[in-house]
């Protein structure tokens, strides 16, 4: 299996990306194609690898999209690493691609390169909520920040396909994230989406609220990309802060030896680095996107998640589930 | 000091509300006026108080707004407990009022009864993020789910007045919650609000993201009422779940005796019941609203928070800060 990795994307690129690539290459059976400025990658690898030589294919890409740039600019930038990475998948030279770079640019690159599946209006990023609820799936976790009700219906459907095909849960429950469980809760967008979901053939259980995400009330929880992103980041940050604060308090009480191994289990459980990246659902090719702040461990996690998506044929499941115009059928 | 308490509002009303009133009356120096169906309140009190007799004033209100009802219906329902409660404040018979009932109905009741301060377009609910960041203030945490950019600017200003006057922090920092820290992040709403905040005289530090809420990056974090509500509820639920899971794991390892007192500190710290309720900012009268799922302990917390808001003259601070049309001045 070959995975194209954007060596230039991320707050700590290229160093942490390359470090992650080296660690993944040692731990996982996967071929990695490093995409970016060849000279930078070669020098970065030389610095990291020390004595040991690992084999990577390098594909040169002269341009990089930075986080403060307009993601639409990627349309005109065929030489950007995030575009070249997608192109390798399109050409069949890689099975999937992965970036820790600009989410918007990743989405647009994948749309331009792969096109959409069936009648998908907008793609979304789908993320297992992991940690406390590894089998709750959140869509959209950051792709589309300005949504229409129809998009949310499609996000729900794509999430349900993921959960059904990949996790083997039949007729997964779908909840719509709002400010309360009553049918009349939510804003203009969610109230309209509620009507569409209610009329659909999905196993829609109605509105859910913030409590329901860590409680695993629904298999699929639907939000727009802005709230989904906020919910995920609050979760990551809060878990980390709370566990650190506990660890310090236990240390002050002289309890570190007894409790640290157990706290470590929880740090591990809540650590997004195991997931590392989330698939873009709805585009006709396999691309995963991770957090900009990813360091090497998250890159390893992202490579594993990408490998898993290829192994379980996530794209095939979406093509089958979204085929024949079923996307917006109600 | 007199506080009017909606005895009929909340998932566990009237029993838990009355239980909270009895507990608060024993613990805090406050006079409570119980508002609701007199016969129900009298019977409820008789069941709870057993031998001990506490003195409560009861004001009859024949009607109750339930959670699944349209909040606008409160406009026509002068006999609803949530309306009568506000009326007592308006008439000067109570210093402030408190409900665990329908948030929307509480907002509308307070708007009808008190009117707005200065040029406030929409009120908001302001909530200290407590727990890990007791001095980060979140506005709006649940009042207005369909927002315009101008509302967010005003929420920011009202939050800054709260933090400056009540917590004594000069020139509080203000962050706008989006999906990333870069200036170009966010959706249509937040991008327009960003421009307004940037042009204002507030100490605006730019966009913040989900990580920043538990990290205390800004004194005031501005969101619309939908995301704010989701962020607060994710926080409450996640903290509780995580601490419970830890407690069980420590118990399985035979460590309960050593760790439980410390875990208990953290349960306490993260428990919203200490706050219990949050003030509606921007209406010309003092009303606090708590979670629908409040039980007695949260009612006690809400009564304490309401008492505190009276003591520090929150309303006076808002009137002074929002006076003379300063609200939308940029």
């Amino acid at each position: 299996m070959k995975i194209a990795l954007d060596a230039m994307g991320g707050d700590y690129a290229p160093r942490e990306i390359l470090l992650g690539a080296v660690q993944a290459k040692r731990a996982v059976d996967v071929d990695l194609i490093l995409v970016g400025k060849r000279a930078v990658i070669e020098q970065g690898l030389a610095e990291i690898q020390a004595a040991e030589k690992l084999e990577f294919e390098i594909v040169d890409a002269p341009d990089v999209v930075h986080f403060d740039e307009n993601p639409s600019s990627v349309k005109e930038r065929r030489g950007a690493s995030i575009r070249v990475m997608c192109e390798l998948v399109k050409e069949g030279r890689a099975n999937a691609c992965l970036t820790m770079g600009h989410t918007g640019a990743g989405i647009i690159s994948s749309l331009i390169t792969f096109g959409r599946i069936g009648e998908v209006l907008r793609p979304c990023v789908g993320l297992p909520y992991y940690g406390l609820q590894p089998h709750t799936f959140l869509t959209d976790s950051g792709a589309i920040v300005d949504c229409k009700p129809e998009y949310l219906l499609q996000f729900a459907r794509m999430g349900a396909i993921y959960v059904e095909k990949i996790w083997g849960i039949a007729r997964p429950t779908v909840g719509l994230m709002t400010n309360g469980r009553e049918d009349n809760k939510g804003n203009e967008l969610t109230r309209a989406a509620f009507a569409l979901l209610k009329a659909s053939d999905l196993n829609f259980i109605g509105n859910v609220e913030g409590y329901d995400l860590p409680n695993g009330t629904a298999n699929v929880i639907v939000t727009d990309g802005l709230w989904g992103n906020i919910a995920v980041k609050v979760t990551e940050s809060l878990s980390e802060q709370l566990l650190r604060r506990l660890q310090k308090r236990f240390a002050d009480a002289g309890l570190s030896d007894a409790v640290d191994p157990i706290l470590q289990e929880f740090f591990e459980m809540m650590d997004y680095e195991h997931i590392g990246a989330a698939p873009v659902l709805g585009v006709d090719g396999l691309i995963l996107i991770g957090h900009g702040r990813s360091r090497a461990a998250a890159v390893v996690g992202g490579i594993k998640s990408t490998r898993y998506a290829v192994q379980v044929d996530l794209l095939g499941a979406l093509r089958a589930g979204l085929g024949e115009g079923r996307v917006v059928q109600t």
Side-chain angles (χ1 to χ4, degrees), chain A residues 256-266:
Chain A
S256 290
D257 289 351
V259 305
D260 263 1
I262 288 174
L263 281 180
Q264 211 49 51
E265 289 172 21
F266 279 77

Side-chain angles (χ1 to χ4, degrees), chain A residues 27-258:
Chain A
V28 187
D29 178 25
V30 65
D31 289 326
L32 295 172
I33 306 176
L34 304 177
V35 183
K37 295 179 183 172
R38 181 181 295 276
V40 172
I41 294 174
E42 283 176 347
Q43 195 190 330
L45 283 176
E47 282 169 12
I48 293 163
Q49 287 188 250
E52 192 176 348
K53 271 282 167 212
L54 295 164
E55 295 219 341
F56 293 104
E57 185 179 344
I58 299 173
V59 170
D60 191 54
D63 188 12
V64 183
V65 180
H66 295 282
F67 285 107
D68 56 357
E69 291 188 283
N70 182 346
S72 297
S73 70
V74 80
K75 290 177 191 167
E76 317 298 330
R77 296 162 70 177
R78 299 181 66 95
S81 57
I82 210 162
R83 287 279 313 262
V84 173
M85 170 191 93
C86 291
E87 204 58 46
L88 292 173
V89 177
K90 169 87 170 179
E91 290 169 4
R93 291 171 62 190
N95 301 85
C97 57
L98 168 66
T99 182
M100 305 301 176
H102 196 305
T103 301
I107 305 281
I108 294 173
S109 294
S110 67
L111 274 168
I112 295 171
T113 316
F114 306 141
R116 299 166 203 188
I117 302 173
E119 299 189 3
V120 167
L121 298 168
R122 290 288 183 284
C124 63
V125 172
L127 187 68
Y129 188 63
Y130 54 91
L132 296 176
Q133 299 298 343
H135 285 156
T136 289
F137 196 74
L138 188 71
T139 58
D140 172 27
S141 71
I144 308 295
V145 293
D146 288 297
C147 281
K148 295 182 178 174
E150 297 76 23
Y151 303 173
L152 295 187
L153 173 62
Q154 290 193 342
F155 296 170
R157 192 174 297 282
M158 292 192 275
I161 290 169
Y162 185 101
V163 169
E164 189 161 355
K165 301 282 167 107
I166 309 303
W167 292 344
I169 297 172
R171 295 275 300 149
T173 52
V174 174
L176 177 65
M177 180 77 101
T178 70
N179 55 329
R181 291 195 190 153
E182 296 82 8
D183 289 1
N184 62 349
K185 284 296 172 91
N187 64 5
E188 266 183 48
L189 171 65
T190 70
R191 283 193 298 270
F194 183 96
L196 294 178
L197 284 161
K198 187 132 181 141
S200 77
D201 58 355
L202 291 167
N203 188 8
F204 180 54
I205 62 165
N207 288 330
V208 297
E209 56 188 336
Y211 302 131
D212 294 306
L213 196 50
N215 289 348
T217 306
N219 300 125
V220 179
I221 291 187
V222 186
T223 79
D224 79 14
L226 193 68
W227 323 327
N229 186 274
I230 293 169
V232 166
K233 288 177 176 170
V234 167
T235 298
E236 288 174 8
S237 171
L238 178 64
S239 316
E240 196 184 326
Q241 295 290 324
L242 193 55
L243 290 171
R244 276 205 200 145
R245 198 83 74 100
L246 270 164
Q247 192 172 39
K248 173 152 192 336
R249 182 68 187 81
F250 283 130
D252 292 346
L255 291 168
S256 290
D257 289 351

Side-chain angles (χ1 to χ4, degrees), chain A residues 266-289:
Chain A
F266 279 77
F267 274 115
E268 292 260 322
M269 178 178 80
M270 300 307 294
D271 193 341
Y272 82 99
E273 293 184 341
H274 295 298
I275 299 276
V280 180
L281 308 177
V283 293
D284 203 10
L286 207 44
I287 173 174
L288 280 84
I289 302 180

